[in-house]
Amino acid sequence: MTLRRRGEKATISIQEHMAIDVCPGPIRPIKQISDYFPRFPRGLPPDAGPRAAAPPDAPARPAAASAGRRSPSDGARDDDEDVDQLFGAYGASPGPSPGPSPARPPAKPPEDEPDADGYESDDCTALGTLDFSLLYDQENNALHCTISKAKVPKLMFSRKGLKPMDHNGLADPYVKLHLLPGASKANKLRTKTLRNTLNPTWNETLTYYGITDEDMIRKTLRISVCDEDKFRHNEFIGETRVPLKKLKPNHTKTFSICLEKQLPVDKTEDKSLEERGRILISLKYSSQKQGLLVGIVRCAHLAAMDANGYSDPYVKTYLKPDVDKKSKHKTAVKKKTLNPEFNEEFCYEIKHGDLAKKTLEVTVWDYDIGKSNDFIGGVVLGINAKGERLKHWFDCLKNKDKRIERWHTLTNELPGAVLSD
């Protein structure tokens, strides 16, 4: 307290003023602001509505009975009760109370309340179901996927607020396929779109060509159901993944699977020998023509080289060593496609005994106007090749006048190839 002269008005410092106002009695812990706003997982509890205020003549709660034996936990419990009373009294309307109200049973959530886990729930109806069948045709190296039907839930809920597909509560669903690893536009297939339905029936078969036994061991088929939107990006509904090693060759397997949420795609793949697509080549040594017939049948899942997501592919073949540089043959250009069909055949006049010393070089290119063409991928067949490429070459030499077709993988590294057209 500061000293004052006679006749002066008493003054109190701000520190003394706060001490008088704030600390009139024993010091108690100061509550945090969050204590006055309890957090509930889904908003207010059903029984946290307005409570009736107790009348003035309501019996007071006996406190002296247990005042003599209080523990720290009891003090904390009283503090929580004070907060609950303060929170419940807010907005309360006065009215008579018959006394202590009986305990209420826990209220049931509203019927239209979404699942707590949304699409992460184990309930298979959360995202819908899909019926389809798979068949691996080992002889023709083809994988046939028949999309039968799907059942899409009317509303898609989740804690992240996924909205219904369309404003009318319906969807415009379609199914798309990818082969993993290496999902790209090159190996994407899709069904037609069915309008305004939650129970679409496609009965549509999509076929992957150039599928080898090695693919059936290491590849996985990703099947996604999406909703087509003309004015915005297409919306994802759900997906499922089937490892191809679960399939038996030449045996149809039927699936009825619950759709799952979108899973991340592993992009940490080894790019050193990146697959650039597949090519179907036929070889035949013709005794009548005294030459090697090389057939370029088709390509599949080619890498996209143009900005529009496609390529304009064509194929070149060389029989090396080529001293006279006359062994070059070239197919026609197929515009804007990643799965071209050529069905062209070239003849190299050569003695059968000389083929063991030769190498067949096949390269695929993307045609560009006004600039150099882009190399897509290539493959080498001959005595120095390995695996299926070597086997294909030897089968041709051993079986005269027999046409032998094989699928081969294109790589971005081709030993001995000239990467310019």
Side-chain angles (χ1 to χ4, degrees), residues 226-240:
C226 301
D227 173 63
E228 186 177 288
D229 198 318
K230 294 182 178 179
F231 305 103
R232 297 178 298 174
H233 291 293
N234 296 341
E235 297 181 86
F236 174 84
I237 296 178
E239 74 169 33
T240 185

Side-chain angles (χ1 to χ4, degrees), residues 348-380:
Y348 292 100
E349 294 182 2
I350 186 174
K351 295 180 181 180
H352 183 267
D354 295 337
L355 279 179
K357 305 175 185 178
K358 294 290 186 176
T359 296
L360 180 66
E361 215 170 77
V362 182
T363 56
V364 183
W365 299 79
D366 170 53
Y367 177 76
D368 289 319
I369 300 177
K371 59 179 181 178
S372 60
N373 298 329
D374 298 319
F375 174 72
I376 296 178
V379 63
V380 173

Side-chain angles (χ1 to χ4, degrees), residues 72-113:
S73 61
D74 294 337
R77 189 181 301 110
D78 290 346
D79 294 341
D80 293 339
E81 292 177 357
D82 292 342
V83 173
D84 292 340
Q85 291 177 1
L86 176 63
F87 186 76
Y90 180 76
S93 57
S97 175
S101 59
R104 297 181 180 179
K108 296 182 180 180
E111 294 181 358
D112 58 347
E113 184 176 353

Side-chain angles (χ1 to χ4, degrees), residues 10-222:
T11 59
I12 301 176
S13 65
I14 185 64
Q15 292 85 356
E16 293 171 334
H17 176 76
M18 294 299 295
I20 294 173
D21 289 350
V22 177
C23 305
I27 299 176
R28 300 184 65 184
I30 300 176
K31 292 181 178 292
Q32 298 182 0
I33 188 64
S34 60
D35 292 337
Y36 296 97
F37 300 94
R39 297 179 180 178
F40 295 94
R42 295 190 183 179
L44 296 178
D47 56 349
R51 298 181 182 177
D57 56 348
R61 183 177 58 184
S66 59
R69 44 179 184 179
R70 291 176 60 88
S71 63
S73 61
D74 294 337
R77 189 181 301 110
D78 290 346
D79 294 341
D80 293 339
E81 292 177 357
D82 292 342
V83 173
D84 292 340
Q85 291 177 1
L86 176 63
F87 186 76
Y90 180 76
S93 57
S97 175
S101 59
R104 297 181 180 179
K108 296 182 180 180
E111 294 181 358
D112 58 347
E113 184 176 353
D115 182 14
D117 292 334
Y119 60 79
E120 299 177 0
S121 171
D122 290 335
D123 185 5
C124 69
T125 60
L127 294 176
T129 58
L130 180 66
D131 296 345
F132 61 95
S133 63
L134 298 176
L135 170 63
Y136 172 49
D137 185 353
Q138 189 176 32
E139 182 179 356
N140 296 314
N141 296 105
L143 176 65
H144 304 284
C145 180
T146 301
I147 306 298
S148 300
K149 61 182 179 178
K151 184 176 181 181
V152 183
K154 188 172 184 179
L155 294 177
M156 309 290 291
F157 288 113
S158 75
R159 287 178 294 187
K160 299 180 181 179
L162 186 62
K163 298 179 180 179
M165 295 295 99
D166 294 335
H167 295 294
N168 58 5
L170 300 175
D172 301 323
Y174 68 91
V175 178
K176 63 179 180 179
L177 310 180
H178 285 102
L179 283 176
L180 304 176
S184 65
K185 199 168 186 176
N187 62 35
K188 170 184 151 184
L189 300 176
R190 62 163 288 175
T191 66
K192 59 186 177 183
T193 301
L194 301 182
R195 302 291 178 185
N196 297 326
T197 178
L198 296 179
N199 298 282
T201 299
W202 289 280
N203 291 326
E204 187 173 345
T205 299
L206 307 175
T207 301
Y208 279 106
Y209 295 99
I211 301 299
T212 62
D213 292 341
E214 181 184 357
D215 293 328
M216 297 301 295
I217 296 175
R218 66 185 186 92
K219 293 278 189 178
T220 297
L221 180 64
R222 175 188 179 190

